[in-house]
Amino acid sequence: MSAIRRIVFLAVCGLCILASLLFYARWIDPFDDQSFDSTKWLQSSPCSRGNMARDAARHTIGLFPSEVVDMLGVPAETRTNLDEHTQTLVYRIGAWPDRGIEHAELTVYINDCGLVQTASVFRVGESKPLHYFPNRG
């Protein structure tokens, strides 16, 4: 095989592998299948919200807790850290057993100034987030 054909062959193989990896990454991440829509979120069951979770997390940054509740509804759980004067709002967002995710939640962190500092998507029971959205401001 000539050098040019070999280079073209390797380039095509590389592109096919890259396309496969991108497709797989998109398939394996169920949290970005839909753009966030507050009305859909509020009308959906917790198990149906996961598809909007990444975009919902981005929409919460910099908001007051009351604005988050208006947008996402009442959280399934609210945690308060009295020592640090912070609060965490937890929203259940479903399960994907075929992807190794038994339960997931959107966690919204309120800082001591009373604003959303960060938001994360977690597998329940793990300490490392699947997706993390810090306040860039």
Side-chain angles (χ1 to χ4, degrees):
M1 189 183 291
S2 73
I4 292 175
R5 284 186 181 183
R6 190 173 299 158
I7 291 170
V8 169
F9 176 75
L10 291 174
V12 169
C13 288
L15 288 173
C16 288
I17 290 170
L18 180 62
S20 298
L21 289 173
L22 290 173
F23 174 78
Y24 180 72
R26 178 79 173 152
W27 176 82
I28 204 157
D29 180 8
F31 304 111
D32 67 346
D33 290 345
Q34 292 180 18
S35 296
F36 176 71
D37 179 311
S38 183
T39 303
K40 282 184 185 177
W41 179 280
L42 292 168
Q43 292 174 352
S44 297
S45 69
C47 291
S48 302
R49 295 176 176 167
N51 294 332
M52 295 183 266
R54 274 214 287 176
D55 202 30
R58 282 191 278 272
H59 279 79
T60 65
I61 304 301
L63 297 179
F64 290 103
S66 60
E67 294 173 307
V68 174
V69 172
D70 288 345
M71 187 172 67
L72 300 178
V74 176
E77 183 180 347
T78 301
R79 302 175 191 145
T80 302
N81 183 329
L82 297 176
D83 295 333
E84 296 179 12
H85 305 289
T86 60
Q87 191 176 37
T88 305
L89 308 178
V90 179
Y91 293 87
R92 308 282 187 255
I93 57 173
W96 293 265
D98 59 329
R99 297 178 188 183
I101 302 170
E102 293 303 321
H103 299 284
E105 53 190 33
L106 170 62
T107 306
V108 179
Y109 301 95
I110 314 299
N111 64 20
D112 58 350
C113 296
L115 296 172
V116 175
Q117 183 68 35
T118 60
S120 303
V121 176
F122 280 94
R123 286 182 194 184
V124 173
E126 292 188 8
S127 59
K128 182 181 175 189
L130 297 167
H131 300 288
Y132 176 72
F133 302 93
N135 185 343
R136 302 257 186 240

